[in-house]
C-alpha cells in the first residue's frame, strides 16, 4: 500500500523550522523549504484529489511544474486562489490548502459515479451532445456539462492582494538555472554582460537539486556565490517570448516583469515522460525523477519498497538513490539488453532488475497496493510507490512562441528546438543533451556565442567544473503503448484522456494533432500537455502509419505555466483598468464646483454648479450665457499635432480631402480626412504657423488614432516626404472663449494684442508673447457664435484661464461645460459627435462639396464606390420634435410615417439637445435619402422604453445659416 516517510537526513529543508498549515481542515506539519506536495507525502497524504472527467483518485505524478494532478485551492474568502500547483508552492505557517474536484472529500467523492458512466464520456462526448438523441438535446445537457466543467472555483469577492508589473532590460536573459544555465550566467557575467538568471523554482540549481552528490552541491553553491553582474531571480517563470527578445516573466503569483533582452539562452531543461499502461493513474504511481526529487530535495521517500519501470538509462539514478536511502528497489526494464555499468550499479546496491518486462497492471483501489509485471517476468510485487520513466521531453515551449516548430530527434525519441530566433541560443537538456558534462559544455558554448554577439571579451578566468562520472551515451528504446491490452491506460492524467480515446479519435477522422487535441481535450489542462503530448503524438503516428516527425506538434502558446488573472491585470483594475486622463485645468474645475463626466479616457467638466444642480437645467443656462454674453470652456482634450518639414504642405494636401497646399501663413482651415476605404476618419482645423510648420487639431476621441495614422503614412507609404509629426496633446492646454462679447474679453485679457476683425479675422491665427511664454490665438468657433481658442503650454493653463476670467469679469464671463459645448454645436449643425463613427462618408455628412476634384487624397478612389454614392444612403438631417410632451432620445430609430415600426428603420438619431434659440428639442440624425425628405414628418422609436414621437426633418443648421455670427 502506498506510503511515504521522512528520511532522517536527506533534503534541503530546514528541520529546525517546523511549519504548520491546514489541509482540508486538518493541521499538517512540515518544514521550511517543503512544498505542499512534499509535506503532504511526508504526512501520509497520497490521495489528494480527483480527476477532471471520471473523478478517479489521483495523487502526485511529478515534483515540478509539469504536475497534472496535484492542484489545490489556497486561502479563503476574498484571498482564495484556485488551481495552485502543490509541487511548486512552498508551505508557510497558517497556509490553508483545499483539494479540488472532489466532494465532499477526495476519499469519498460522489462524482466518482462518472467512472461507471465512462462509455458515455469518451472522446468528443460534449460535441456529440449537440446532435441527439433529440433536436434540442444540447439545450438540455448544457447546464449540467457547464456545472461539471472547470477546475477549482474562483472567488467573486474583492480581495486585498496587490498585483504589480515592472519593466527591465538586460544584455542576457538565461532561462533556467540548472548546470547549463548556471555555467552560462557565470561566464557571461564575468565577461561584463548584464545578466538576468531566471529560475522557476524557489532555489537555484535545476536538476542539481535532485542530486545527492556532495561534489555537485559544493559546485552549485560555490558558483552561485561567485556570480558577477548577474541578477538572480527565483520563483521566476518565463511565461511568454515575443518579438525582438521581449519576455514576460511572472515573479511569484503577484507580479509580472517585462524583460527586454539583447540575447537569450534557453536552458529550460526537460520533463520526464510517463509510460502508458493499465491503471497508470493511481495514487502512488509517479515519475521516477519525482521520487528522486522528493528524496534528495525534500527528504521524503517510499516507506519500504519501490518499483521502477523504464525504457531508458536515466531512471537508474532514481533507483540507485532510493536504494542508498534504505528503500528496497526493483527495476522492470522494457529493454532486453542493458549497459554493464547499470547492471553493476544495481548489483552493488541490491537492486533486482527484470529485463524485457513492463507493467501489466497496477493493483489497488484508491491507491497503489501492488504492481503486476508482464513480459519475460510475470510477477506481482507489493510496493509503496511505482516510478515510471518513458524518456525525456525537452522544454521547447518558449522557443516555439515565435512560430519556430520543434523537430523530432530519434536519438532521444522526443522533440528538440527546430531553431532559435536571432540573438537566442540553447544549452543543455533542451537540446537533448542529458549528461551533466554535456550540459556544462553547452552552457559555456552558449555563453561564448552571447559574448561574441555582444562584442565583449571572454573572461580571463575559467569556470571550475565538477569532476563526476558521466554515464554516456544516453540510451533509450521507444515504448509508446503497452504490449498487453489495457482498459484504462491514461495518456493525459488531468483531462482523463486514455489510449482508447486516441484510437477512437483516429477512427472518427480526427487525425490531425490540432484536431486530436481539441476533440479529446488532450493537453488542454493547466499542464498544457507537458507530460502527455509526445506520447499522444507517437500513438497517433502509429495509428496513421507515419513517422512521429510527420505528425508534428500542436502550437505552444503563452502562458507557459498557470498564471493568475490578477498578475496579468496588475494595477489595471477598477479606475486603473484604463488610464484616467485629466486636463491641465482639472484642478481649477475641481475647486470651482464642476461636475465631471467620463469622455473616453478623459475626465471632463460636464457642467458647473453656478448654472444649477440639475444637469438638464444647468447646461441650458450655460448655453444662454454663450449665446448672449461670453463663456469660457476647456478644450485641452482636443488632439494637437505639430507638423513640420519641407514637404508638410504636400503631406497635409494628401491627408485632407480639401486643399492645404496654398494655405497662407496665419490662417487656419477646416479639414476632413478619410480612411483608405473612403470613410470619414476625423475632422478638425489645421493652422499654418510658418513656411515649414503647421498646427493640427483633431477631435478628442480620435487624437490617438489620427496620430498613429499620420505616422503610418509617413513611415510606410510616403517615405520620400520630409515631414515630422509630434503629438502636443499633453503638452498644450486649450480654452475656447465664445459668445458675442468674446472679442471684448480677449481685448481685456491681452491689451497689447490686436484682436480686431481686421487683425484677426475668422479662421485667423497668431502667436503672441504673454507672461513669459507663447500663446496661440485662433479665431475658430465650435459653438456657432463669435469665438476664439487660446492655446498655451500646459503648465500655464490655469494661470492663463484665471487671467482671462479676471480681466473679463466686468463682462460676466463664466465657465461652461461639455454638455453645453456639445449642445451649442448641435444647434450650429457641426458634425463632431456620434456622426463620426467610422461608418459615414463625406456625402453622408453633407461635406461632399468641400472635397477637391483635382488633387489626389487618401480615400478618394474608394469614396466613389457605387454603394457609397447611392441616393438612398442615409445622410445628415436636422430633426425637430413636434410633440413637446414627449422625449427625444439619442439612438432612437427613425421610420417614415407610413412605415411599420419594426427592424432597423431608415436611420437613427445621433445627437439631441434642447435648443435655447428655438425653444424646443432638436436633434441631428442620419436618414435614408437625407434632405430630399426635408419638411416631412417621420417617427422616432425607442424600443427600450417603448416610446414613439413625431419629428420633422429640417436643415441640420438650426442657427446662423449664413455665418454672420462667425464673421461678426
Amino acid at each position: 500500500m502506498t506510503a511515504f516517510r521522512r528520511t532522517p537526513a536527506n533534503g534541503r529543508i530546514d528541520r529546525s523550522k517546523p511549519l504548520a498549515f491546514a489541509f482540508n481542515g486538518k493541521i499538517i506539519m512540515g518544514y521550511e523549504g517543503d512544498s505542499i506536495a512534499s509535506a503532504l507525502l511526508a504526512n501520509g497524504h497520497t490521495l489528494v484529489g480527483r480527476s477532471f472527467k471520471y473523478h478517479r483518485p489521483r495523487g502526485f505524478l511529478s515534483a515540478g511544474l509539469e504536475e497534472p494532478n496535484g492542484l489545490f485551492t489556497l486561502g479563503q474568502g476574498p484571498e482564495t486562489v484556485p488551481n495552485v500547483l502543490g509541487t511548486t508552492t512552498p508551505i508557510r505557517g497558517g497556509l490553508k490548502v483545499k483539494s479540488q474536484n472532489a466532494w465532499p472529500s477526495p476519499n469519498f467523492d460522489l462524482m466518482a459515479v462518472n467512472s461507471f458512466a465512462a462509455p458515455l464520456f469518451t472522446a468528443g462526448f460534449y460535441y456529440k451532445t449537440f446532435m441527439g438523441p433529440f433536436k434540442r438535446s444540447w439545450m438540455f445537457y448544457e447546464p449540467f456539462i457547464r456545472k461539471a466543467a472547470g477546475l477549482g472555483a474562483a472567488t467573486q469577492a474583492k480581495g486585498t492582494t496587490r498585483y504589480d508589473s515592472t519593466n527591465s532590460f538586460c544584455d542576457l536573459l538565461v532561462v533556467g538555472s540548472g548546470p547549463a544555465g548556471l555555467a552560462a550566467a557565470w561566464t557571461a557575467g564575468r565577461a561584463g554582460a548584464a545578466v538576468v538568471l531566471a529560475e522557476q523554482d524557489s532555489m537555484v540549481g535545476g536538476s542539481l537539486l535532485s542530486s545527492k552528490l556532495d561534489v555537485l552541491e559544493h559546485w552549485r553553491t560555490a558558483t552561485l556565490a561567485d556570480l558577477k553582474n548577474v541578477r538572480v531571480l527565483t520563483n521566476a517563470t518565463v511565461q511568454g517570448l515575443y518579438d525582438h527578445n521581449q519576455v514576460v516573466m511572472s515573479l511569484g503569483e503577484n507580479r509580472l516583469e517585462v524583460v527586454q533582452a539583447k540575447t537569450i539562452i534557453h536552458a529550460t531543461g526537460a520533463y520526464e515522460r510517463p509510460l502508458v499502461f493499465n491503471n497508470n493513474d493511481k495514487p502512488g504511481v509517479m515519475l521516477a525523477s519525482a521520487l528522486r526529487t522528493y528524496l534528495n530535495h525534500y527528504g521524503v521517500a517510499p516507506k519500504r519498497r519501490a518499483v521502477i519501470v523504464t525504457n531508458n538509462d536515466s531512471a537508474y539514478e532514481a533507483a540507485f538513490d532510493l536504494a542508498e536511502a534504505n528503500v528496497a528497489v526493483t527495476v522492470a526494464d522494457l529493454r532486453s539488453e542493458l549497459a554493464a555499468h547499470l547492471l553493476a550499479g544495481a548489483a552493488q546496491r541490491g537492486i533486482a532488475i527484470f529485463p524485457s518486462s513492463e507493467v501489466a497492471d497496477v493493483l489497488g483501489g484508491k491507491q497503489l497496493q501492488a504492481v503486476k509485471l508482464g513480459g519475460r517476468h510475470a510477477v506481482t510485487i507489493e510496493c509503496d510507490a511505482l516510478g515510471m520513466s518513458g524518456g525525456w521531453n525537452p522544454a521547447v515551449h518558449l522557443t516555439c512562441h515565435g512560430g519556430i516548430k520543434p523537430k523530432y530527434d530519434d536519438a532521444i525519441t522526443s522533440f528538440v528546438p527546430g531553431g532559435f530566433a536571432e540573438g537566442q541560443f540553447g544549452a543543455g537538456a533542451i537540446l537533448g543533451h542529458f549528461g551533466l558534462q554535456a550540459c556544462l559544455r553547452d552552457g559555456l558554448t552558449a555563453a561564448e556565442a552571447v559574448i561574441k554577439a555582444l562584442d565583449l571579451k571572454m573572461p580571463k578566468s575559467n569556470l571550475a567544473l565538477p569532476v563526476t562520472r558521466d554515464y554516456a551515451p544516453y540510451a533509450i528504446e521507444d515504448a509508446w503503448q503497452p504490449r498487453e491490452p489495457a482498459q484504462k491506460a491514461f495518456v493525459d492524467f488531468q483531462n482523463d484522456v486514455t489510449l482508447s480515446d486516441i484510437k477512437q479519435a483516429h477512427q472518427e477522422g480526427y487525425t490531425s494533432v490540432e484536431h486530436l487535441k481539441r476533440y479529446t481535450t488532450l493537453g488542454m489542462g493547466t499542464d498544457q500537455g507537458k507530460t502527455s503530448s509526445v506520447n499522444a503524438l507517437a500513438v497517433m503516428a502509429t495509428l496513421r502509419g507515419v513517422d512521429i516527425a510527420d505528425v508534428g506538434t500542436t502550437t505552444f502558446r503563452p502562458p507557459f505555466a498557470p498564471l493568475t488573472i490578477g498578475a496579468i491585470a496588475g494595477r489595471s483594475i477598477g479606475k486603473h483598468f484604463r488610464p484616467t486622463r485629466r486636463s491641465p485645468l482639472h484642478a481649477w474645475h475641481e475647486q470651482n464646483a464642476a461636475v465631471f463626466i467620463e469622455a473616453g479616457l478623459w475626465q471632463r467638466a460636464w457642467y458647473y454648479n453656478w448654472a444649477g444642480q440639475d444637469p438638464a437645467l444647468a447646461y441650458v443656462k450655460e448655453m444662454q450665457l454663450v449665446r448672449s454674453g461670453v463663456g469660457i470652456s476647456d478644450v485641452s482634450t482636443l488632439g494637437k499635432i505639430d507638423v513640420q518639414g519641407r514637404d508638410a504642405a504636400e503631406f497635409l494636401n494628401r491627408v485632407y480631402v480639401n486643399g492645404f497646399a496654398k494655405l497662407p501663413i496665419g490662417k487656419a482651415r477646416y479639414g476632413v480626412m478619410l480612411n483608405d476605404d473612403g470613410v470619414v476618419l476625423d475632422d478638425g482645423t489645421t493652422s499654418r504657423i510658418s513656411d515649414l510648420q503647421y498646427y493640427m487639431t483633431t477631435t478628442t476621441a480620435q487624437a490617438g488614432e489620427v496620430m498613429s495614422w499620420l505616422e503610418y503614412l509617413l513611415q510606410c507609404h510616403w517615405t520620400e516626404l520630409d515631414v515630422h509629426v509630434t503629438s502636443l496633446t499633453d503638452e498644450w492646454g486649450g480654452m475656447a472663449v465664445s459668445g458675442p462679447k468674446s472679442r471684448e474679453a480677449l481685448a481685456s485679457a491681452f491689451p497689447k494684442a490686436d484682436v480686431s476683425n481686421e487683425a484677426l479675422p475668422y479662421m485667423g491665427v497668431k502667436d503672441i508673447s504673454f507672461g513669459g511664454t507663447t500663446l496661440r490665438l485662433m479665431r475658430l468657433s465650435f459653438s456657432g457664435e463669435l469665438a476664439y481658442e487660446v492655446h498655451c503650454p500646459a503648465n500655464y493653463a490655469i494661470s492663463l484661464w484665471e487671467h482671462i476670467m479676471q480681466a473679463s469679469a466686468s463682462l460676466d464671463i463664466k465657465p461652461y461645460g461639455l454638455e453645453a459645448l456639445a449642445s451649442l454645436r448641435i444647434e450650429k449643425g457641426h458634425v463632431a459627435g456620434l456622426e463620426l463613427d467610422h461608418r459615414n462618408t463625406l456625402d453622408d455628412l453633407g461635406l461632399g462639396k468641400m472635397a477637391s476634384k483635382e488633387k489626389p487624397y487618401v480615400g478618394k478612389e474608394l469614396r466613389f464606390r457605387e454603394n457609397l454614392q447611392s441616393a438612398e444612403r442615409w445622410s445628415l438631417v436636422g430633426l425637430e420634435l413636434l410633440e413637446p410632451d414627449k422625449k427625444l432620445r439619442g439612438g432612437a430609430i427613425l421610420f417614415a410615417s407610413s412605415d411599420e415600426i419594426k427592424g432597423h428603420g431608415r436611420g437613427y438619431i445621433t445627437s439631441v439637445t434642447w435648443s435655447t434659440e428655438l425653444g424646443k428639442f432638436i436633434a441631428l440624425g442620419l436618414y435614408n435619402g437625407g434632405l430630399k425628405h426635408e419638411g416631412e414628418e417621420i417617427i422616432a422609436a425607442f424600443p427600450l422604453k417603448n416610446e414613439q414621437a413625431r419629428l420633422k426633418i429640417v436643415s441640420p443648421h438650426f442657427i446662423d445659416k449664413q455665418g454672420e455670427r462667425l464673421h461678426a
Side-chain angles (χ1 to χ4, degrees):
M1 178 174 287
T2 301
F4 284 79
R5 58 183 167 85
R6 184 75 78 176
T7 60
N10 299 66
R12 292 176 168 81
I13 56 176
D14 189 343
R15 298 173 190 255
S16 67
K17 296 180 180 179
L19 296 173
F21 68 100
F23 173 60
N24 290 338
K26 296 181 179 180
I27 301 299
I28 304 294
M29 295 302 299
Y31 297 103
E32 186 173 291
D34 261 324
S35 67
I36 294 173
S38 65
L40 290 178
L41 287 173
N43 283 274
H45 292 274
T46 54
L47 171 59
V48 296
R50 294 282 178 148
S51 66
F52 172 64
K53 188 162 63 173
Y54 300 131
H55 284 253
R56 286 170 64 94
R58 288 289 161 82
F60 296 107
L61 177 73
S62 75
L65 198 63
E66 69 274 32
E67 175 61 31
N69 298 331
L71 276 68
F72 302 93
T73 296
L74 303 190
Q76 61 183 358
E79 304 307 319
T80 300
V81 181
N83 296 327
V84 177
L85 286 174
T87 51
T88 60
T89 305
I91 65 169
R92 58 182 185 272
L95 180 67
K96 297 185 184 302
V97 181
K98 184 179 179 181
S99 293
Q100 297 183 166
N101 218 39
W103 188 83
S105 71
N107 193 53
F108 179 71
D109 180 17
L110 289 176
M111 289 296 289
V113 68
N114 283 6
S115 292
F116 298 104
L120 301 177
F121 296 144
T122 57
F125 80 93
Y126 37 86
Y127 294 115
K128 295 168 185 175
T129 57
F130 282 92
M131 301 171 61
F134 309 109
K135 184 176 180 180
R136 296 177 62 82
S137 292
W138 173 250
M139 305 307 293
F140 173 76
Y141 292 125
E142 182 186 21
F144 300 100
I145 292 177
R146 290 195 181 280
K147 188 174 182 180
L151 292 172
T155 178
Q156 296 187 20
K158 185 176 181 179
T160 59
T161 302
R162 176 170 175 169
Y163 297 91
D164 215 338
S165 61
T166 57
N167 292 269
S168 65
F169 303 85
C170 64
D171 294 325
L172 169 64
L173 171 66
V174 180
V175 188
S177 70
L182 198 52
W186 186 95
T187 306
R190 288 278 170 170
V195 180
V196 172
L197 178 62
E199 171 53 54
Q200 66 189 28
D201 204 345
S202 58
M203 295 179 66
V204 169
S207 62
L208 296 174
L209 299 177
S210 298
S211 171
K212 64 181 288 290
L213 295 179
D214 291 339
V215 64
L216 294 183
E217 177 61 14
H218 174 74
W219 180 83
R220 183 187 73 88
T221 55
T223 304
L224 184 59
D226 199 34
L227 294 175
K228 303 292 184 184
N229 299 320
V230 179
R231 179 183 172 217
V232 179
L233 299 176
T234 54
N235 296 311
T237 302
V238 175
Q239 299 285 6
L241 179 57
Y242 304 91
D243 293 343
H244 311 297
N245 292 346
Q246 188 178 71
V247 163
V248 174
M249 177 168 54
S250 60
L251 300 174
E253 296 179 357
N254 301 347
R255 186 157 66 94
L256 283 188
E257 183 165 328
V258 180
V259 182
Q260 186 63 60
K262 292 181 180 178
T263 58
I264 298 173
I265 291 178
H266 297 269
T268 49
Y271 296 109
E272 193 166 28
R273 193 164 60 228
L275 288 165
V276 180
F277 49 81
N278 202 47
N279 289 316
N280 59 341
D281 66 324
K282 289 191 182 295
V285 181
M286 307 171 73
L287 297 172
S289 60
L291 290 174
R292 189 173 186 233
T293 297
Y294 286 120
L295 171 64
N296 295 324
H297 193 153
Y298 299 107
V300 177
K303 194 169 185 178
R304 292 177 299 272
R305 178 177 291 278
V307 174
I308 303 293
V309 57
T310 183
N311 65 341
N312 66 89
D313 295 350
S314 69
Y316 285 83
E317 295 176 342
F320 294 168
D321 287 356
L322 288 169
E324 292 172 9
N326 298 317
V327 177
V329 179
T330 301
V331 175
D333 200 316
L334 281 74
R335 300 171 295 178
S336 58
E337 297 183 5
L338 306 178
H341 68 270
L342 298 179
L343 295 172
Q348 181 182 349
R349 296 168 176 83
I351 297 173
I353 298 181
F354 293 163
S356 299
S357 300
E358 65 173 342
V359 174
D361 200 1
V362 176
L363 306 180
K366 296 176 183 175
Q367 54 188 337
L368 163 72
Q369 291 183 336
V371 175
K372 182 179 179 180
L373 299 184
R376 184 188 301 177
H377 302 277
V379 297
T380 299
I381 305 171
E382 293 186 357
C383 59
D384 301 301
L386 169 61
M388 53 182 171
S389 177
W392 293 83
N393 298 331
V396 300
H397 305 69
L398 293 177
T399 68
C400 301
H401 285 179
I404 300 175
K405 288 286 188 179
K407 62 182 181 181
Y408 188 73
D409 186 346
D410 284 311
I412 65 168
T413 66
S414 193
F415 290 86
V416 296
F420 295 94
E422 184 179 357
Q424 298 180 28
F425 310 89
I430 189 177
L431 301 178
H433 303 160
F434 299 134
L436 173 64
Q437 298 300 329
C439 289
L440 292 171
R441 288 193 299 270
D442 279 354
L444 297 176
T445 301
E448 290 177 9
V450 166
I451 291 168
K452 182 178 180 181
L454 296 175
D455 198 23
L456 300 173
K457 293 182 179 180
M458 286 293 292
K460 295 180 180 179
S461 57
N462 294 321
L463 177 64
L465 299 179
V467 180
T468 61
R469 182 174 179 181
D470 204 6
Y471 297 136
Y474 170 76
I476 184 171
E477 180 180 301
D478 61 49
W480 308 117
Q481 302 183 57
R483 297 167 187 168
E484 299 184 13
Q487 292 182 334
K488 287 295 180 184
F490 287 86
V491 180
D492 185 311
F493 296 86
Q494 188 171 96
N495 286 333
D496 278 337
V497 180
T498 63
L499 185 63
S500 60
D501 287 329
I502 298 175
K503 292 178 179 179
Q504 180 179 332
H506 175 261
Q507 291 172 349
E508 296 181 357
Y510 295 94
T511 58
S512 161
V513 292
E514 296 289 0
H515 293 163
L516 171 67
K517 174 180 179 179
R518 286 154 181 81
Y519 192 61
T520 64
T521 70
L522 192 146
M524 294 177 66
T526 61
D527 63 328
Q528 290 291 289
K530 291 180 176 65
T531 57
S532 63
S533 62
V534 176
N535 280 335
L537 300 175
V539 171
M540 181 57 74
T542 302
L543 294 171
R544 289 173 54 183
V546 299
D547 292 335
I548 299 177
D550 296 329
V551 171
T553 63
T554 54
T555 303
F556 299 116
R557 299 182 179 91
F560 173 70
L563 185 63
T564 62
I565 299 297
I568 297 173
R571 299 187 187 183
S572 300
I573 58 174
K575 287 292 185 180
H576 300 291
F577 180 69
R578 299 187 303 172
T580 297
R581 305 189 68 180
R582 296 181 177 88
S583 151
L585 288 159
H586 186 85
W588 190 93
H589 301 319
E590 283 185 316
Q591 295 166 8
N592 288 271
V595 177
F596 292 95
I597 189 172
E598 291 185 1
L601 299 177
W602 291 94
Q603 288 284 311
R604 298 192 66 178
W606 186 19
Y607 63 94
Y608 296 84
N609 281 345
W610 73 260
Q613 302 293 324
D614 182 350
L617 300 177
Y619 88 86
V620 173
K621 192 171 183 178
E622 291 176 359
M623 288 177 68
Q624 292 170 342
L625 169 77
V626 174
R627 293 295 185 220
S628 61
V630 59
I632 185 169
S633 181
D634 185 358
V635 295
S636 301
T637 61
L638 292 175
K640 297 176 281 292
I641 301 173
D642 185 69
V643 183
Q644 295 194 39
R646 289 192 303 270
D647 299 316
E650 172 62 20
F651 174 61
L652 293 172
N653 213 41
R654 298 180 186 181
V655 168
Y656 284 118
V657 301
N658 48 326
F660 273 78
K662 298 180 181 180
L663 181 66
I665 296 173
K667 293 291 286 184
R669 181 166 293 166
Y670 174 75
V672 179
M673 58 182 72
L674 308 181
N675 285 325
D676 279 334
D677 58 6
V679 171
V680 173
L681 170 65
D682 196 47
D683 72 342
T685 61
T686 293
S687 309
R688 189 165 194 171
I689 308 305
S690 68
D691 285 337
L692 305 181
Q693 182 182 11
Y694 292 79
Y695 184 65
M696 176 188 291
T697 62
T698 74
T699 61
T700 296
Q702 296 298 114
E705 187 168 347
V706 170
M707 182 66 190
S708 296
W709 175 240
L710 299 182
E711 289 180 321
Y712 167 74
L713 292 174
L714 289 171
Q715 294 177 23
C716 299
H717 291 286
W718 302 330
T719 56
E720 78 282 1
L721 295 183
D722 177 16
V723 179
H724 295 276
V725 292
T726 305
S727 175
L728 300 178
T729 302
D730 295 328
E731 305 299 320
W732 283 58
M735 51 209 77
V737 182
S738 309
K741 299 180 182 179
S742 57
R743 182 180 291 116
E744 295 177 60
L746 284 193
S748 300
F750 311 115
K752 295 182 180 181
D754 188 352
V755 293
S756 65
N757 205 21
E758 295 73 25
L760 191 59
Y762 179 61
M763 301 303 281
V765 178
K766 67 164 56 178
D767 286 356
I768 65 172
S769 295
F770 184 81
T773 190
T774 298
L775 308 182
R776 184 157 293 158
L777 305 183
M778 297 182 289
R779 175 88 177 272
L780 308 173
S781 178
F782 191 68
S783 63
E785 292 290 342
L786 173 67
Y788 301 81
E789 286 186 16
V790 185
H791 291 209
C792 67
N795 54 332
Y796 285 85
I798 290 180
S799 60
L800 179 62
W801 175 283
E802 291 179 337
H803 169 73
I804 294 174
M805 292 197 68
Q806 291 169 4
S808 309
S810 62
L811 301 174
D812 199 26
I813 188 172
K814 288 183 176 64
Y816 64 98
L818 181 62
E819 190 71 22
L821 181 67
S823 298
L824 291 165
R825 69 96 183 166
I826 295 171
E827 283 189 326
K828 180 59 179 173
H830 284 316
V831 290
L834 296 178
E835 298 82 20
L836 302 182
D837 65 353
H838 289 5
R839 294 190 297 169
N840 299 316
T841 68
L842 280 173
D843 299 286
D844 295 342
L845 302 178
L847 301 174
K849 293 181 180 179
M850 70 181 292
S852 171
K853 296 181 179 180
E854 289 79 23
K855 75 177 183 74
Y857 54 84
V858 174
K860 181 176 183 179
E861 299 303 321
L862 292 183
R863 176 193 162 206
F864 292 102
R865 283 176 289 175
E866 182 179 353
N867 287 344
L868 298 188
Q869 293 296 314
S870 170
E872 291 306 310
R873 273 185 66 85
W874 65 24
S875 59
L876 188 71
V877 295
L879 301 165
E880 292 182 359
L881 181 63
L882 299 178
E883 298 178 277
D885 59 325
K886 294 189 176 181
K887 290 186 177 180
L888 195 55
R889 298 183 186 271
I893 306 171
L894 301 178
F895 297 88
S897 58
S898 60
D899 289 343
E900 183 180 357
I901 309 301
K902 69 176 185 179
H904 297 291
R906 298 173 182 251
Y908 68 101
I909 295 175
T910 57
S911 308
V912 177
T913 188
W914 171 264
S915 171
T916 56
E917 295 275 309
L918 303 179
K920 64 175 67 174
F921 276 102
I922 61 172
L924 297 178
L926 294 160
Y927 190 77
N928 290 352
L931 288 176
K932 76 177 185 180
H933 298 287
E934 188 172 0
E936 294 181 8
E937 287 191 15
I938 61 173
I939 303 294
F942 197 77
L944 292 178
K945 298 285 187 179
N946 196 28
E947 295 175 353
Q948 294 184 21
R950 290 188 301 111
L951 309 177
K952 180 181 179 182
I953 295 179
V954 297
S955 166
H957 307 295
F958 295 94
I959 67 166
D960 194 28
K961 295 182 181 180
Q962 305 304 318
E964 295 174 357
R965 301 185 188 185
L966 300 178
H967 296 83

